[in-house]
Amino acid sequence: MKEKLISLVIPMYCENQVARECYRQVKRVMVEHNIHHEILFINDGSTDETLPILEEIATEDQAVKVISFARNFGHQIAVTAGIAKAKGDAVVVIDADLQDPPELISDMIKLWQEGYHVVYGQRKKRKGETWFKLATAKYFYRFLKEMTDVDIPVDTGDFRLMDRKVVDVFNSMSEKNRFIRGMVSWVGFKQTALLYEREERFAGETKYPLKKMLKLASDGILSFSFKPIKWIEGTGVAIILVGFLMMLYSILVRLSHSYSSIPGWLWIVVLLSGIHLLALGVVGEYIVRIYDESRGRPLYTIEKEINMESDKDDKE
Ligand code: UDP
Ligand code: MG
Protein backbone atom coordinates (compact mmCIF):
# COMPACT_ATOMS: atom_id res chain seq x y z
CA MET A 1 0.00 0.00 0.00
CA LYS A 2 3.03 2.30 0.07
CA GLU A 3 2.61 3.73 -3.40
CA LYS A 4 -1.01 4.98 -3.14
CA LEU A 5 -1.69 8.07 -1.07
CA ILE A 6 -4.75 8.23 1.18
CA SER A 7 -5.95 11.64 2.35
CA LEU A 8 -7.95 11.89 5.55
CA VAL A 9 -10.23 14.91 5.79
CA ILE A 10 -11.26 15.78 9.35
CA PRO A 11 -13.35 18.91 10.09
CA MET A 12 -13.13 20.42 13.55
CA TYR A 13 -15.25 23.03 15.22
CA CYS A 14 -14.37 23.66 18.86
CA GLU A 15 -13.01 20.15 19.35
CA ASN A 16 -10.24 20.89 21.86
CA GLN A 17 -11.40 17.92 23.94
CA VAL A 18 -11.07 15.45 21.09
CA ALA A 19 -8.41 16.85 18.72
CA ARG A 20 -5.40 15.04 20.22
CA GLU A 21 -7.19 11.73 20.71
CA CYS A 22 -8.58 11.92 17.19
CA TYR A 23 -5.08 12.40 15.78
CA ARG A 24 -3.68 9.61 17.95
CA GLN A 25 -6.32 7.11 16.83
CA VAL A 26 -6.31 7.84 13.10
CA LYS A 27 -2.51 7.94 13.05
CA ARG A 28 -2.34 4.56 14.78
CA VAL A 29 -4.59 3.01 12.14
CA MET A 30 -2.46 4.51 9.35
CA VAL A 31 0.79 3.24 10.85
CA GLU A 32 -0.55 -0.20 11.81
CA HIS A 33 -1.81 -0.85 8.29
CA ASN A 34 1.21 0.73 6.66
CA ILE A 35 -0.91 3.24 4.75
CA HIS A 36 0.83 6.09 2.95
CA HIS A 37 -1.23 9.06 4.11
CA GLU A 38 -1.80 12.73 4.73
CA ILE A 39 -4.17 14.06 7.38
CA LEU A 40 -6.00 17.30 6.65
CA PHE A 41 -7.57 18.97 9.63
CA ILE A 42 -9.92 21.81 8.85
CA ASN A 43 -10.35 24.23 11.70
CA ASP A 44 -13.81 25.65 11.06
CA GLY A 45 -13.43 28.91 12.97
CA SER A 46 -13.14 27.31 16.40
CA THR A 47 -13.32 29.71 19.33
CA ASP A 48 -11.48 27.36 21.70
CA GLU A 49 -7.94 25.94 21.69
CA THR A 50 -8.46 23.65 18.69
CA LEU A 51 -6.11 25.59 16.39
CA PRO A 52 -3.10 25.75 18.74
CA ILE A 53 -3.50 22.01 19.38
CA LEU A 54 -3.56 21.29 15.64
CA GLU A 55 -0.54 23.55 15.11
CA GLU A 56 1.35 21.60 17.72
CA ILE A 57 0.46 18.27 16.09
CA ALA A 58 1.46 19.63 12.67
CA THR A 59 4.91 20.68 13.83
CA GLU A 60 5.59 17.14 15.05
CA ASP A 61 4.12 15.35 12.04
CA GLN A 62 4.64 16.66 8.51
CA ALA A 63 1.87 14.37 7.24
CA VAL A 64 -0.56 16.57 9.15
CA LYS A 65 -1.87 19.58 7.25
CA VAL A 66 -4.04 22.26 8.71
CA ILE A 67 -6.44 24.57 6.94
CA SER A 68 -7.83 27.17 9.27
CA PHE A 69 -10.93 29.14 8.25
CA ALA A 70 -11.32 32.82 9.06
CA ARG A 71 -14.68 32.04 10.70
CA ASN A 72 -17.16 29.23 11.16
CA PHE A 73 -18.53 28.18 7.78
CA GLY A 74 -20.16 24.91 8.80
CA HIS A 75 -19.34 21.24 8.58
CA GLN A 76 -20.24 20.73 4.90
CA ILE A 77 -18.06 23.62 3.78
CA ALA A 78 -15.16 22.48 5.97
CA VAL A 79 -15.32 19.01 4.43
CA THR A 80 -15.51 20.57 0.95
CA ALA A 81 -12.33 22.57 1.59
CA GLY A 82 -10.52 19.46 2.83
CA ILE A 83 -11.53 17.42 -0.21
CA ALA A 84 -10.46 20.26 -2.52
CA LYS A 85 -7.00 20.41 -0.96
CA ALA A 86 -6.48 16.66 -0.67
CA LYS A 87 -3.80 15.16 -2.89
CA GLY A 88 -4.60 11.48 -2.33
CA ASP A 89 -5.56 8.74 -4.76
CA ALA A 90 -8.48 8.24 -2.40
CA VAL A 91 -9.97 10.62 0.15
CA VAL A 92 -11.60 9.57 3.40
CA VAL A 93 -13.91 11.95 5.25
CA ILE A 94 -14.32 11.26 8.94
CA ASP A 95 -15.73 13.22 11.91
CA ALA A 96 -13.32 14.41 14.57
CA ASP A 97 -15.31 13.12 17.54
CA LEU A 98 -14.51 9.43 16.88
CA GLN A 99 -18.17 8.53 16.39
CA ASP A 100 -17.02 6.96 13.15
CA PRO A 101 -14.47 4.30 14.17
CA PRO A 102 -11.09 5.01 12.48
CA GLU A 103 -10.32 1.25 12.24
CA LEU A 104 -12.96 1.05 9.52
CA ILE A 105 -10.76 3.14 7.23
CA SER A 106 -8.65 0.07 6.46
CA ASP A 107 -11.83 -1.88 5.55
CA MET A 108 -12.87 0.97 3.28
CA ILE A 109 -9.47 0.89 1.61
CA LYS A 110 -9.81 -2.86 1.03
CA LEU A 111 -13.15 -2.36 -0.72
CA TRP A 112 -11.61 0.46 -2.76
CA GLN A 113 -8.79 -1.86 -3.84
CA GLU A 114 -11.45 -4.35 -4.91
CA GLY A 115 -12.69 -1.74 -7.36
CA TYR A 116 -15.33 0.38 -5.61
CA HIS A 117 -15.11 4.11 -6.19
CA VAL A 118 -17.12 5.15 -3.15
CA VAL A 119 -17.37 3.25 0.13
CA TYR A 120 -19.84 4.94 2.45
CA GLY A 121 -20.36 4.11 6.11
CA GLN A 122 -23.94 3.11 6.77
CA ARG A 123 -25.08 3.18 10.39
CA LYS A 124 -26.89 0.13 11.60
CA LYS A 125 -26.92 1.45 15.15
CA ARG A 126 -26.18 4.78 16.79
CA LYS A 127 -25.03 4.94 20.36
CA GLY A 128 -25.31 7.77 22.84
CA GLU A 129 -27.51 10.10 20.85
CA THR A 130 -30.76 11.66 22.00
CA TRP A 131 -34.06 10.02 21.01
CA PHE A 132 -34.85 13.25 19.20
CA LYS A 133 -31.74 13.02 17.04
CA LEU A 134 -32.31 9.30 16.37
CA ALA A 135 -35.95 9.77 15.40
CA THR A 136 -35.44 12.88 13.27
CA ALA A 137 -32.45 11.31 11.49
CA LYS A 138 -34.29 8.06 10.84
CA TYR A 139 -37.36 9.70 9.33
CA PHE A 140 -35.39 12.37 7.53
CA TYR A 141 -33.31 9.85 5.55
CA ARG A 142 -36.42 7.88 4.58
CA PHE A 143 -38.34 11.02 3.66
CA LEU A 144 -35.40 12.23 1.57
CA LYS A 145 -35.28 8.92 -0.28
CA GLU A 146 -38.95 9.34 -1.20
CA MET A 147 -38.37 12.89 -2.35
CA THR A 148 -35.41 12.53 -4.66
CA ASP A 149 -34.59 10.88 -7.94
CA VAL A 150 -30.94 10.51 -6.96
CA ASP A 151 -30.44 7.32 -4.98
CA ILE A 152 -29.18 8.71 -1.66
CA PRO A 153 -28.65 5.80 0.76
CA VAL A 154 -30.46 5.93 4.11
CA ASP A 155 -28.67 6.21 7.48
CA THR A 156 -25.52 7.43 5.81
CA GLY A 157 -23.50 10.46 6.83
CA ASP A 158 -20.35 11.87 5.33
CA PHE A 159 -18.02 9.16 6.68
CA ARG A 160 -16.83 7.67 3.42
CA LEU A 161 -13.97 6.92 1.08
CA MET A 162 -13.92 8.41 -2.40
CA ASP A 163 -11.70 7.52 -5.31
CA ARG A 164 -9.79 10.31 -7.07
CA LYS A 165 -12.19 10.06 -10.06
CA VAL A 166 -15.15 10.87 -7.81
CA VAL A 167 -13.19 13.56 -5.97
CA ASP A 168 -12.37 15.33 -9.24
CA VAL A 169 -16.03 15.45 -10.24
CA PHE A 170 -17.01 16.51 -6.73
CA ASN A 171 -14.48 19.35 -6.82
CA SER A 172 -16.04 20.62 -10.02
CA MET A 173 -19.45 20.96 -8.34
CA SER A 174 -19.55 24.56 -7.23
CA GLU A 175 -22.93 24.76 -5.51
CA LYS A 176 -23.03 26.87 -2.38
CA ASN A 177 -25.65 25.05 -0.32
CA ARG A 178 -23.99 21.71 -0.08
CA PHE A 179 -25.39 18.34 0.92
CA ILE A 180 -22.26 16.29 0.40
CA ARG A 181 -23.70 12.79 0.82
CA GLY A 182 -26.27 13.60 -1.88
CA MET A 183 -23.70 15.19 -4.19
CA VAL A 184 -21.48 12.10 -3.99
CA SER A 185 -24.45 9.84 -4.76
CA TRP A 186 -25.25 12.05 -7.73
CA VAL A 187 -21.72 11.57 -9.13
CA GLY A 188 -22.34 7.82 -9.53
CA PHE A 189 -19.58 5.26 -10.24
CA LYS A 190 -19.38 2.04 -8.26
CA GLN A 191 -20.59 2.73 -4.74
CA THR A 192 -21.01 0.36 -1.82
CA ALA A 193 -21.98 0.47 1.84
CA LEU A 194 -19.90 -0.55 4.81
CA LEU A 195 -22.21 -1.24 7.76
CA TYR A 196 -21.06 -0.07 11.16
CA GLU A 197 -22.22 0.89 14.62
CA ARG A 198 -21.93 4.58 15.33
CA GLU A 199 -20.13 5.17 18.60
CA GLU A 200 -20.73 7.78 21.24
CA ARG A 201 -18.94 11.08 20.91
CA PHE A 202 -15.48 10.75 22.51
CA ALA A 203 -15.87 14.00 24.47
CA GLY A 204 -17.60 17.36 24.30
CA GLU A 205 -21.00 18.31 22.96
CA THR A 206 -22.52 17.94 19.51
CA LYS A 207 -21.69 20.86 17.21
CA TYR A 208 -24.91 20.29 15.31
CA PRO A 209 -27.67 22.17 17.14
CA LEU A 210 -31.23 21.98 15.78
CA LYS A 211 -30.70 25.06 13.61
CA LYS A 212 -27.77 23.49 11.75
CA MET A 213 -29.65 20.20 11.44
CA LEU A 214 -32.58 22.00 9.84
CA LYS A 215 -30.29 23.83 7.42
CA LEU A 216 -28.65 20.55 6.38
CA ALA A 217 -32.04 18.85 6.00
CA SER A 218 -33.45 21.66 3.87
CA ASP A 219 -30.32 21.67 1.71
CA GLY A 220 -30.74 17.93 1.26
CA ILE A 221 -34.33 18.27 0.14
CA LEU A 222 -34.15 21.50 -1.87
CA SER A 223 -30.90 20.63 -3.67
CA PHE A 224 -32.13 17.22 -4.73
CA SER A 225 -35.86 17.56 -5.23
CA PHE A 226 -38.39 19.80 -6.96
CA LYS A 227 -41.25 17.94 -5.32
CA PRO A 228 -42.06 20.77 -2.86
CA ILE A 229 -42.99 22.94 -5.86
CA LYS A 230 -45.07 20.11 -7.31
CA TRP A 231 -46.88 19.75 -3.98
CA ILE A 232 -47.72 23.44 -3.97
CA GLU A 233 -49.19 23.10 -7.42
CA GLY A 234 -51.14 20.00 -6.37
CA THR A 235 -52.46 21.75 -3.27
CA GLY A 236 -53.43 24.76 -5.39
CA VAL A 237 -55.43 22.59 -7.78
CA ALA A 238 -57.13 20.77 -4.88
CA ILE A 239 -58.10 24.06 -3.22
CA ILE A 240 -59.50 25.43 -6.46
CA LEU A 241 -61.67 22.31 -6.81
CA VAL A 242 -62.89 22.58 -3.24
CA GLY A 243 -63.59 26.29 -3.74
CA PHE A 244 -65.56 25.54 -6.88
CA LEU A 245 -67.69 22.93 -5.08
CA MET A 246 -68.27 25.37 -2.23
CA MET A 247 -69.38 27.99 -4.72
CA LEU A 248 -71.95 25.61 -6.19
CA TYR A 249 -73.09 24.68 -2.71
CA SER A 250 -73.53 28.28 -1.63
CA ILE A 251 -75.50 29.09 -4.79
CA LEU A 252 -77.78 26.13 -4.11
CA VAL A 253 -78.21 27.13 -0.48
CA ARG A 254 -79.01 30.69 -1.46
CA LEU A 255 -81.55 29.53 -4.07
CA SER A 256 -83.24 27.20 -1.61
CA HIS A 257 -83.43 30.08 0.97
CA SER A 258 -82.50 27.74 3.80
CA TYR A 259 -79.51 29.81 5.07
CA SER A 260 -78.44 33.37 4.55
CA SER A 261 -74.76 32.43 4.59
CA ILE A 262 -72.49 29.42 5.09
CA PRO A 263 -70.93 29.31 8.57
CA GLY A 264 -67.17 28.80 9.00
CA TRP A 265 -65.73 31.30 6.52
CA LEU A 266 -63.23 32.63 9.00
CA TRP A 267 -61.16 29.48 9.44
CA ILE A 268 -61.16 28.94 5.71
CA VAL A 269 -59.72 32.41 5.19
CA VAL A 270 -57.08 31.85 7.87
CA LEU A 271 -56.19 28.42 6.51
CA LEU A 272 -55.90 29.70 2.97
CA SER A 273 -53.71 32.63 3.89
CA GLY A 274 -51.50 30.19 5.79
CA ILE A 275 -51.26 27.94 2.76
CA HIS A 276 -50.45 30.94 0.56
CA LEU A 277 -47.65 32.12 2.80
CA LEU A 278 -46.26 28.60 3.09
CA ALA A 279 -46.27 28.26 -0.68
CA LEU A 280 -44.58 31.63 -1.03
CA GLY A 281 -42.00 30.53 1.55
CA VAL A 282 -41.19 27.31 -0.30
CA VAL A 283 -40.76 29.18 -3.58
CA GLY A 284 -38.67 31.72 -1.65
CA GLU A 285 -36.36 28.97 -0.40
CA TYR A 286 -35.52 28.07 -3.98
CA ILE A 287 -35.12 31.74 -4.94
CA VAL A 288 -32.77 32.41 -2.02
CA ARG A 289 -30.62 29.54 -3.23
CA ILE A 290 -30.59 30.89 -6.78
CA TYR A 291 -29.53 34.27 -5.39
CA ASP A 292 -26.85 32.60 -3.31
CA GLU A 293 -25.47 30.81 -6.37
CA SER A 294 -25.56 33.92 -8.55
CA ARG A 295 -23.58 36.07 -6.11
CA GLY A 296 -20.51 34.01 -6.85
CA ARG A 297 -18.84 34.49 -3.49
CA PRO A 298 -16.13 32.01 -2.56
CA LEU A 299 -17.27 29.12 -0.37
CA TYR A 300 -14.88 29.93 2.48
CA THR A 301 -12.01 32.16 3.54
CA ILE A 302 -8.77 30.68 4.80
CA GLU A 303 -6.83 32.48 7.49
CA LYS A 304 -3.94 30.09 7.81
CA GLU A 305 -2.51 26.94 6.25
CA ILE A 306 0.13 24.70 7.81
CA ASN A 307 2.27 22.10 6.01
CA MET A 308 0.39 22.75 2.78
CA GLU A 309 2.32 23.24 -0.44
CA SER A 310 1.03 26.81 -0.86
CA ASP A 311 2.24 27.47 2.66
CA LYS A 312 5.74 26.17 1.77
CA ASP A 313 5.81 28.39 -1.36
CA ASP A 314 5.14 31.38 0.86
CA LYS A 315 8.12 30.55 3.04
CA GLU A 316 10.57 29.93 0.21
N1 UDP B 1 -18.22 20.54 12.58
C1 UDP B 1 -17.64 21.57 11.83
N2 UDP B 1 -18.29 22.77 11.75
C2 UDP B 1 -19.49 23.00 12.34
C3 UDP B 1 -20.09 21.93 13.07
C4 UDP B 1 -19.44 20.73 13.15
O1 UDP B 1 -16.55 21.41 11.27
O2 UDP B 1 -20.02 24.11 12.23
C5 UDP B 1 -17.51 19.24 12.68
C6 UDP B 1 -17.35 18.72 14.08
O3 UDP B 1 -16.19 19.24 14.69
C7 UDP B 1 -17.28 17.23 13.84
C8 UDP B 1 -18.20 17.04 12.65
O4 UDP B 1 -18.32 18.30 12.03
O5 UDP B 1 -15.98 16.79 13.47
C9 UDP B 1 -19.55 16.51 13.04
O6 UDP B 1 -20.11 17.31 14.05
P1 UDP B 1 -20.79 16.70 15.35
O7 UDP B 1 -20.07 15.49 15.80
O8 UDP B 1 -20.93 17.78 16.38
O9 UDP B 1 -22.23 16.32 14.79
P2 UDP B 1 -23.13 15.07 15.22
O10 UDP B 1 -22.26 13.86 15.15
O11 UDP B 1 -23.60 15.36 16.59
O12 UDP B 1 -24.22 15.08 14.21
MG1 MG C 1 -20.54 13.63 16.11
Side-chain angles (χ1 to χ4, degrees):
M1 252 325 278
K2 271 282 181 209
E3 66 286 1
K4 298 268 185 192
L5 177 69
I6 303 291
S7 305
L8 304 184
V9 168
I10 312 180
M12 290 205 183
Y13 175 55
C14 300
E15 299 286 11
N16 62 348
Q17 287 173 282
V18 308
R20 274 201 187 83
E21 183 63 19
C22 170
Y23 167 69
R24 210 179 59 75
Q25 292 204 20
V26 294
K27 187 74 188 180
R28 200 191 56 216
V29 173
M30 294 297 111
V31 173
E32 267 175 17
H33 293 85
N34 202 20
I35 299 166
H36 180 36
H37 64 279
E38 60 170 2
I39 305 174
L40 291 113
F41 288 116
I42 301 90
N43 172 41
D44 184 14
S46 302
T47 49
D48 64 0
E49 296 301 295
T50 303
L51 182 59
I53 295 170
L54 294 179
E55 284 177 324
E56 217 180 285
I57 298 171
T59 48
E60 288 159 17
D61 183 350
Q62 293 299 303
V64 170
K65 302 172 178 187
V66 180
I67 300 158
S68 188
F69 282 172
R71 66 167 173 86
N72 178 247
F73 281 90
H75 172 228
Q76 299 288 296
I77 302 294
V79 170
T80 299
I83 297 174
K85 302 268 175 182
K87 295 264 184 298
D89 299 290
V91 177
V92 176
V93 177
I94 182 167
D95 281 356
D97 59 0
L98 300 167
Q99 284 197 283
D100 310 322
E103 301 81 63
L104 291 181
I105 296 172
S106 69
D107 300 327
M108 287 182 165
I109 292 173
K110 272 185 209 119
L111 285 161
W112 172 59
Q113 286 167 328
E114 285 170 23
Y116 289 103
H117 297 104
V118 174
V119 184
Y120 53 86
Q122 193 166 37
R123 303 150 182 174
K124 49 179 179 176
K125 223 177 185 177
R126 298 166 73 124
K127 290 185 199 158
E129 284 180 303
T130 60
W131 67 265
F132 180 75
K133 179 110 180 183
L134 293 181
T136 47
K138 181 175 169 194
Y139 291 110
F140 168 68
Y141 286 124
R142 277 148 191 85
F143 178 65
L144 185 67
K145 202 171 175 63
E146 284 301 306
M147 297 282 288
T148 61
D149 298 329
V150 179
D151 191 15
I152 304 174
V154 297
D155 302 329
T156 300
D158 293 322
F159 178 36
R160 60 185 61 225
L161 176 147
M162 288 174 272
D163 181 79
R164 173 50 53 190
K165 271 192 199 144
V166 176
V167 170
D168 286 343
V169 181
F170 180 85
N171 286 339
S172 73
M173 297 166 85
S174 62
E175 57 211 74
K176 303 279 186 294
N177 297 281
R178 301 174 82 82
F179 186 64
I180 293 175
R181 54 206 79 166
M183 291 166 67
V184 176
S185 298
W186 180 90
V187 172
F189 291 99
K190 267 177 88 180
Q191 310 212 357
T192 190
L194 179 70
L195 288 175
Y196 75 107
E197 285 189 17
R198 195 155 210 241
E199 297 296 329
E200 267 179 64
R201 191 174 234 287
F202 175 75
E205 297 281 303
T206 174
K207 306 298 176 304
Y208 255 95
L210 186 62
K211 200 172 143 204
K212 282 187 180 169
M213 270 167 65
L214 287 175
K215 166 81 172 85
L216 184 69
S218 58
D219 281 342
I221 293 166
L222 300 176
S223 306
F224 286 91
S225 177
F226 297 123
K227 279 193 186 163
I229 297 282
K230 303 278 170 218
W231 288 347
I232 292 173
E233 289 164 357
T235 312
V237 171
I239 289 175
I240 289 169
L241 284 176
V242 171
F244 188 70
L245 292 175
M246 283 166 72
M247 183 187 80
L248 289 179
Y249 177 69
S250 68
I251 290 170
L252 288 176
V253 163
R254 183 46 78 95
L255 291 177
S256 68
H257 300 291
S258 41
Y259 294 108
S260 57
S261 71
I262 303 176
W265 286 112
L266 188 62
W267 69 262
I268 294 173
V269 171
V270 173
L271 186 74
L272 281 185
S273 52
I275 291 173
H276 278 144
L277 287 181
L278 179 71
L280 208 60
V282 172
V283 177
E285 287 286 337
Y286 284 97
I287 294 175
V288 163
R289 281 164 171 76
I290 299 169
Y291 177 50
D292 211 12
E293 295 300 329
S294 67
R295 272 192 306 211
R297 288 183 187 169
L299 277 176
Y300 46 81
T301 46
I302 295 176
E303 192 174 352
K304 193 170 190 180
E305 289 187 344
I306 304 166
N307 290 348
M308 303 289 296
E309 249 139 54
S310 52
D311 169 52
K312 269 187 214 143
D313 293 346
D314 291 348
K315 282 182 198 155
E316 276 160 11

